[in-house]
Amino acid sequence: MNRDKPPLLIIEDDPGLQKLLRWSFEAYEVLVAGDRESALALIRRHEPAVVTMDLGLPPDPDGASEGLATLQQIRALAPDTKVIVLTGNQDHANAVKVIGMGAYDFHQKPFDPEMLGLVVERAFFLHALQQENRRMQQVQMDSPLSGIISRDPGMLKICRNVERVASSDATVMLLGESGTGKEVLTKALHQLSPRHGERFMAINCAAIPESLLESELFGYEKGAFTGAAKQTLGKIECANGGTFFLDEVGDLPMALQAKILRFLQERVIERIGGREEIPVDVRIVCATHQNLKEMIAAGSFREDLYYRLSEIVVTIPPLRERVGDAALLAHHFRNKFSVQEGRSSLNFSQEALATIESYSWPGNVREMENCIKRAVIMADGSQISVEDLGLQALPMADEPLNLRQVREEAEYKAFVKVLARADGNITKSADLLGVSRPALYDLMKRHGIK
Ligand SMILES: Nc1ncnc2c1ncn2[C@@H]1O[C@H](COP(=O)(O)OP(=O)(O)OP(=O)(O)O)[C@@H](O)[C@H]1O
Ligand SMILES: [Mg+2]
């Protein structure tokens, strides 16, 4: 078969017309079928984008019953395929009927090859456009946000949720272990929001001494305290119009919790030493790796503040719970640091990859980033070995599941793992899994992976 030309299926029982049509469509790989059965077989095999068909097919060459039945089956088998039906000259009723059944167009016989050629060309064009559109939608569905590398369904879902809430002004709370990407997600949220043209300001409540935190947040007037030489704006005020990120909110001292709560209720701030109430319009995002519910129970975090901050809660899974992401991120960071360190074509040894996959990554993506950076620097020759990683592999606990779940999970995990390990290469993935490429595509389809 000619691979450069797109296949066009012609369903026509008259040998003379078959010849004529073949001759008119030199630009395509013309496939010809004389009856329903062979037409359906060719559609299954070649998946043509466009089909032209005669309504009068054997065993009913003078009627339309066989043609209509064929059309119905094509529609069910290949709903994206564009079917152009050739109808008799005065056959208005059937023309209407075939369009109602989902045919792309009809054309009257005896046909004008030039006209029919144009209709076919337009059908190919529309089909290509629809496929492209679908592909782009799919890519959007499958791709994480800017700065985020992941193929884990849980993480991708979080990315979709972040996209969804970005347009609102709702206060978002990101929960997750250290290094899971709370800050990258916050930045992505800001970038996707209508506030992206304004400033993104962040403050880390754990990194700033309590005595300075208040002035960092709210600013101060000249002479408010010793050393206050000039009026200084706080970070909340600086973020006006944009997004304010309150990082490690669990470390906010009680006295400031009350002040932040007041800001959230009134949306005004007062600079230290100032008397004026200044309205500030910011979108608040906060994050913590601490358990705020426990802190509330222990009396170290205000419950009312918690509810103000947690209009939308996003819980980010730790790296060890993301399927396939460890190897995926390892490849990503290897590429990044190889370039940075001027070390080309470094590869992981099989044992190194296995260790990366089984390690529990308590420090999550940040730990991974540091680990691979170190390994790239340490590696001798062209391979990153287990020793270069400097990890102490800790066995992970198994979760109990029923047998069907176990099978499905195992299949899915093996697949995503292999895909990550092969860096997205399908042929290599199929080899590693010991299946054929078509079987692999089946697997991908079954698990909804693109
Ligand atoms: N999914 C990801 N893909 C690529 N890089 C990531 C991903 N998640 C995190 N990172 C990188 O890992 C590092 C840690 O991420 P980030 O600072 O957002 O984590 P965090 O949850 O805020 O951590 P902490 O609680 O320690 O503040 C950053 O360098 C970030 O760019
Ligand atoms: Mg952080």
Side-chain angles (χ1 to χ4, degrees):
M1 199 177 143
N2 189 333
R3 294 212 162 269
D4 297 333
K5 295 182 181 179
L8 166 68
L9 173 63
I10 288 172
I11 311 173
E12 171 61 68
D13 59 327
D14 181 309
L17 282 178
Q18 283 182 0
K19 213 182 219 165
L20 179 60
L21 282 159
R22 228 185 239 289
W23 176 83
S24 325
F25 291 117
E26 276 189 317
Y28 305 99
E29 177 66 30
V30 176
L31 313 162
V32 178
D35 55 37
R36 170 166 21 161
E37 205 177 318
S38 54
L40 293 172
L42 285 171
I43 286 177
R44 275 198 199 91
R45 246 236 333 270
H46 300 283
E47 298 180 2
V50 181
V51 172
T52 74
M53 64 170 275
D54 187 6
L55 267 190
L57 291 175
D60 183 19
D62 299 320
S65 65
E66 183 66 8
L68 292 175
T70 307
L71 173 63
Q72 193 172 25
Q73 271 184 292
I74 296 175
R75 294 288 304 144
L77 181 66
D80 294 338
T81 295
K82 306 282 167 238
V83 185
I84 300 158
V85 179
L86 303 178
T87 58
N89 206 355
Q90 302 301 326
D91 201 356
H92 183 70
N94 276 325
V96 172
K97 206 172 199 169
V98 298
I99 296 296
M101 285 169 70
Y104 164 72
D105 206 350
F106 67 90
H107 198 81
Q108 289 187 340
K109 292 210 289 192
F111 64 87
D112 165 11
E114 206 172 323
M115 266 303 284
L116 183 59
L118 288 176
V119 175
V120 166
E121 198 179 312
R122 214 176 39 176
F124 269 105
F125 178 69
L126 182 67
H127 184 268
L129 214 60
Q130 284 173 340
Q131 295 303 106
E132 175 65 11
N133 188 20
R134 176 164 316 164
R135 199 187 57 75
M136 271 164 50
Q137 272 175 358
Q138 196 61 49
V139 167
Q140 227 169 22
M141 284 293 295
D142 286 351
S143 65
L145 302 171
S146 136
I148 311 265
I149 308 271
S150 180
R151 278 204 203 108
D152 174 63
M155 275 303 284
L156 294 177
K157 201 163 154 195
I158 284 173
C159 292
R160 297 292 82 79
N161 286 343
V162 165
E163 275 172 354
R164 220 166 292 146
V165 302
S167 58
S168 87
D169 268 342
T171 300
V172 177
M173 177 179 279
L174 294 158
L175 302 177
E177 290 179 11
S178 165
T180 44
K182 297 186 288 293
E183 186 158 348
V184 237
L185 273 171
T186 306
K187 286 184 178 155
L189 179 79
H190 173 68
Q191 282 309 321
L192 289 165
S193 78
R195 297 171 175 268
H196 67 95
E198 304 293 331
R199 290 179 82 173
F200 173 86
M201 298 294 292
I203 202 163
N204 185 332
C205 304
I208 297 173
E210 188 172 342
S211 55
L212 292 181
L213 200 51
E214 184 176 4
S215 56
E216 279 289 309
L217 285 166
F218 298 101
Y220 51 86
E221 296 293 348
K222 182 177 174 179
F225 45 81
T226 343
K230 60 176 174 45
Q231 185 197 61
T232 303
L233 302 190
K235 288 205 167 161
I236 298 179
E237 202 177 340
C238 287
N240 197 10
T243 304
F244 181 66
F245 180 37
L246 204 51
D247 201 2
E248 302 302 353
V249 70
D251 288 273
L252 201 60
M254 267 296 180
L256 285 175
Q257 286 183 28
K259 292 199 168 167
I260 291 286
L261 178 64
R262 176 161 177 265
F263 167 65
L264 289 171
Q265 285 164 340
E266 316 288 336
R267 296 288 167 170
V268 293
I269 59 149
E270 265 175 65
R271 299 185 196 123
I272 302 171
R275 262 176 218 103
E276 202 189 343
E277 290 191 331
I278 304 157
V280 179
D281 163 36
V282 290
R283 203 271 175 82
I284 305 271
V285 181
C286 69
T288 182
H289 68 277
Q290 307 202 55
N291 187 327
L292 293 181
K293 290 263 172 70
E294 274 175 16
M295 290 182 69
I296 292 168
S300 54
F301 201 84
R302 291 181 68 125
E303 191 171 16
D304 46 6
L305 177 60
Y306 174 81
Y307 287 111
R308 280 279 167 178
L309 288 171
S310 62
E311 286 177 351
I312 290 167
V313 178
V314 176
T315 306
I316 310 172
L319 180 53
R320 64 183 164 280
E321 284 172 16
R322 303 181 202 170
V323 180
D325 274 8
L328 185 72
L329 283 160
H331 279 117
H332 165 75
F333 288 128
R334 178 210 54 196
N335 294 343
K336 174 175 157 187
F337 294 122
S338 296
V339 172
Q340 241 175 53
E341 302 293 326
R343 302 207 46 174
S344 58
S345 66
L346 263 183
N347 273 308
F348 292 105
S349 72
Q350 285 307 308
E351 299 77 51
L353 266 183
T355 306
I356 285 168
E357 282 164 355
S358 62
Y359 183 64
S360 67
W361 300 106
N364 296 291
V365 186
R366 179 175 295 111
E367 183 185 8
M368 165 79 78
E369 195 170 3
N370 295 340
C371 165
I372 305 299
K373 181 170 186 175
R374 173 202 139 94
V376 167
I377 294 168
M378 300 300 281
D380 249 345
S382 67
Q383 258 202 353
I384 295 174
S385 67
V386 178
E387 290 73 48
D388 297 328
L389 297 172
L391 296 174
Q392 278 184 321
L394 311 164
M396 283 199 284
D398 286 329
E399 63 264 30
L401 295 159
N402 78 41
L403 198 58
R404 185 186 54 77
Q405 272 178 313
V406 170
R407 267 196 223 112
E408 277 187 5
E409 277 242 294
E411 191 177 270
Y412 180 78
K413 278 191 182 162
F415 173 72
V416 177
K417 235 181 201 172
V418 160
L419 196 66
R421 184 182 283 204
D423 213 6
N425 184 314
I426 295 291
T427 310
K428 214 160 150 190
S429 301
D431 280 351
L432 282 170
L433 285 169
V435 297
S436 65
R437 277 172 58 109
L440 188 72
Y441 280 117
D442 266 347
L443 204 69
M444 288 168 75
K445 211 164 161 187
R446 192 140 44 83
H447 288 291
I449 305 164
K450 278 273 162 184

